[in-house]
Amino acid sequence: MKVPLSKPFIDQEMKDRVLEVIDSGQYILGNQCRDFEKEFAQFIGVKHAVLTSSGTSAIFLCLKALGVKEGDGILVPSLTAFPTIEPIFHAGARPIFIDIDDTFTVDPNHIEAILKNRNQIAGVKEIKGMIPVHLYGHPANMDFLLDLAKRYSLFVLEDCCQAHGAKYKGARVGSMGIGGCFSFYPSKNLTVFGDGGILVTSDDEMAKTCRMLRDHGRREKYSHELVGYNLRFNEIQGAVGRLQLRRLDWFNESRRRIAQWYNDGLKGVPVTTPQAMDWAEAVYHLYVIQTFDRDKLAGFLKERGVQTGIHYPIPNHLQPAVQNALGQQPKLRKTEDTVKKILSLPIYPELEKEKVDFVCASIKEFFH
Ligand SMILES: Cc1ncc(COP(=O)(O)O)c(C=O)c1O
């Protein structure tokens, strides 16, 4: 049996729609993109959505629109995809790396401790904001983070690239901070046929600036009010994204059901299964277990045709690019322990129970 780690959902309607867009002759930021933005904003519960070329560019545009610049410090978990961090550098600012809690998301207590000593961070004139990441599809502890942000006058930009549709106490992720950023990379909960991303906000000014920066700093064709970028989205992917959005609740229900199958199937097995907090409606972008025998278990599963992943083997504060730029970073105990143990098991909307049972049986066999 072959069990891939992830698989994008594609159906005939999506393929037909691609051909229709090709025939339409309109390819960049047209009607499909406009409607997708409206529908996505409505789904999240915010006023605006701005499509971008990727999740990375969505984060970058938000940081630029928020006025992030040299000397600014941005609080960010170290355990996240490297693209959460890159835009901070590109905006000229410095990441301040934060440890995680038991949900794998950023630890607000650590943020609070740093904020209490905020004048002692080398190279940082002022801490401007934080980027909590709803990692693996589980929302970060938003009330605590929003309270800290209010007390210390910081912005909160949510990295929702792994959490399309997830809810925190009933609110969709992306609707709680000043903005939220999503990726459509093919393994994500909502995908298109290539790269893509979207940012959401209810702040009119931020939406306007991001919209202009995305498209050469203009609103009118030949009037450039800002020096911007080309970080646009396109019509083919817009049409696919709209159809994906209509199926997103179903995808996420399916992912939650699969997570439950794993939770049940792995009872009594010496691995730690992911924790979901009471306030979270997680969407299981990844299903991540922990075991000290991680590498041997991954090898054993590979021999049986089960693909696994490690998200992520090197935390960002230990990445060479970061250390070259900023020097050695303070130790993050929980993050550094966790990356030795984490293993992502296959999960995607169409994954059959039979395959989940096979993965669980293989894990049991390994430990016996
Ligand atoms: C947490 C997180 N942030 C940011 C990104 C960047 O998204 P993209 O690959 O669309 O640029 C990703 C996806 O790779 C991600 O998982």
Side-chain angles (χ1 to χ4, degrees):
M1 191 179 290
K2 286 256 177 280
V3 193
L5 180 60
S6 79
K7 187 165 151 259
F9 179 91
I10 299 169
D11 63 15
Q12 193 55 45
E13 194 183 2
M14 294 175 193
K15 293 182 191 170
D16 292 344
R17 199 58 60 82
V18 166
L19 295 178
E20 281 169 33
V21 176
I22 291 172
D23 286 341
S24 78
Q26 196 176 30
Y27 300 129
I28 294 171
L29 294 182
N31 294 336
Q32 292 296 336
C33 289
R34 243 187 322 271
D35 288 346
F36 187 22
E37 287 181 340
K38 275 193 205 129
E39 289 158 7
F40 199 85
Q42 195 176 17
F43 175 80
I44 299 296
V46 291
K47 277 169 81 178
H48 309 282
V50 180
L51 283 160
T52 60
S53 57
S54 68
T56 312
S57 55
I59 298 171
F60 175 69
L61 288 172
C62 288
L63 294 179
K64 292 301 283 181
L66 287 163
V68 171
K69 57 177 188 326
E70 208 180 320
D72 291 345
I74 308 294
L75 301 151
V76 64
S78 178
L79 185 66
T80 180
F82 192 60
T84 307
I85 312 299
E86 277 173 312
I88 301 174
F89 284 100
H90 290 308
R94 283 174 86 111
I96 302 167
F97 292 106
I98 307 296
D99 217 340
I100 47 168
D101 65 17
D102 287 339
T103 64
F104 301 111
T105 64
V106 67
D107 179 1
N109 289 301
H110 186 204
I111 293 194
E112 188 164 27
I114 291 211
L115 287 169
K116 282 185 179 151
N117 295 300
R118 61 190 175 285
N119 298 325
Q120 296 170 15
I121 302 166
V124 172
K125 284 198 198 114
E126 194 184 346
I127 300 182
K128 282 287 175 59
M130 60 172 92
I131 309 183
V133 181
H134 305 299
L135 199 71
Y136 309 154
H138 188 289
N141 188 350
M142 289 306 291
D143 279 351
F144 196 162
L145 295 171
L146 290 167
D147 175 59
L148 286 173
K150 204 166 156 195
R151 275 167 36 214
Y152 290 91
S153 304
L154 309 176
F155 68 73
V156 177
L157 178 65
E158 298 174 67
D159 181 335
C160 314
C161 288
Q162 301 191 359
H164 315 62
K167 288 183 184 164
Y168 173 84
K169 296 186 180 171
R172 296 262 189 215
V173 300
S175 67
M176 292 167 278
I178 181 75
C181 299
F182 296 80
S183 162
F184 302 143
Y185 183 79
S187 64
K188 303 299 191 211
N189 291 41
L190 191 163
T191 73
V192 293
F193 297 163
D195 269 316
I198 197 164
L199 64 92
V200 298
T201 181
S202 289
D203 186 293
D204 297 340
E205 201 54 37
M206 175 149 157
K208 191 178 96 184
T209 309
C210 287
R211 214 174 271 292
M212 283 199 285
L213 287 176
R214 162 186 76 172
D215 186 20
H216 302 298
R218 65 185 167 188
R219 279 182 288 182
E220 306 286 330
K221 190 157 189 191
Y222 292 115
S223 168
H224 301 271
E225 297 165 53
L226 301 170
V227 176
Y229 309 87
N230 177 355
L231 300 172
R232 296 181 301 231
F233 200 56
N234 67 74
E235 286 290 281
I236 290 180
Q237 310 298 7
V240 174
R242 293 180 70 199
L243 294 175
Q244 287 267 332
L245 182 60
R246 282 176 212 166
R247 291 152 178 77
L248 181 58
D249 282 336
W250 175 78
F251 293 161
N252 287 339
E253 272 162 35
S254 179
R255 285 174 181 272
R256 273 194 287 275
R257 190 167 54 245
I258 292 163
Q260 193 54 50
W261 291 339
Y262 275 127
N263 289 343
D264 295 341
L266 293 172
K267 277 203 179 106
V269 182
V271 299
T272 306
T273 52
Q275 273 201 41
M277 303 306 273
D278 288 346
W279 37 258
E281 192 174 305
V283 292
Y284 294 94
H285 169 60
L286 293 167
Y287 185 90
V288 178
I289 59 167
Q290 294 177 76
T291 166
F292 286 107
D293 279 325
R294 191 264 310 279
D295 294 337
K296 279 197 201 135
L297 174 60
F300 183 86
L301 290 173
K302 190 175 174 196
E303 277 170 23
R304 273 156 187 72
V306 177
Q307 192 187 10
T308 59
I310 302 172
H311 301 89
Y312 297 86
I314 306 175
N316 290 305
H317 70 291
L318 300 180
Q319 287 291 353
V322 169
Q323 300 217 330
N324 287 341
L326 305 180
Q328 203 173 348
Q329 296 296 292
K331 188 169 172 63
L332 300 175
R333 192 190 50 80
K334 195 167 171 72
T335 298
E336 289 174 37
D337 283 353
T338 301
V339 297
K340 294 179 195 141
K341 297 185 285 183
I342 44 178
L343 187 67
S344 308
L345 301 182
I347 191 162
Y348 50 89
E350 293 172 289
L351 181 60
E352 302 92 337
K353 173 95 169 40
E354 182 200 0
K355 290 191 175 158
V356 173
D357 288 345
F358 177 73
V359 176
C360 293
S362 303
I363 295 174
K364 275 186 193 146
E365 193 187 330
F366 171 80
F367 282 104
H368 288 140

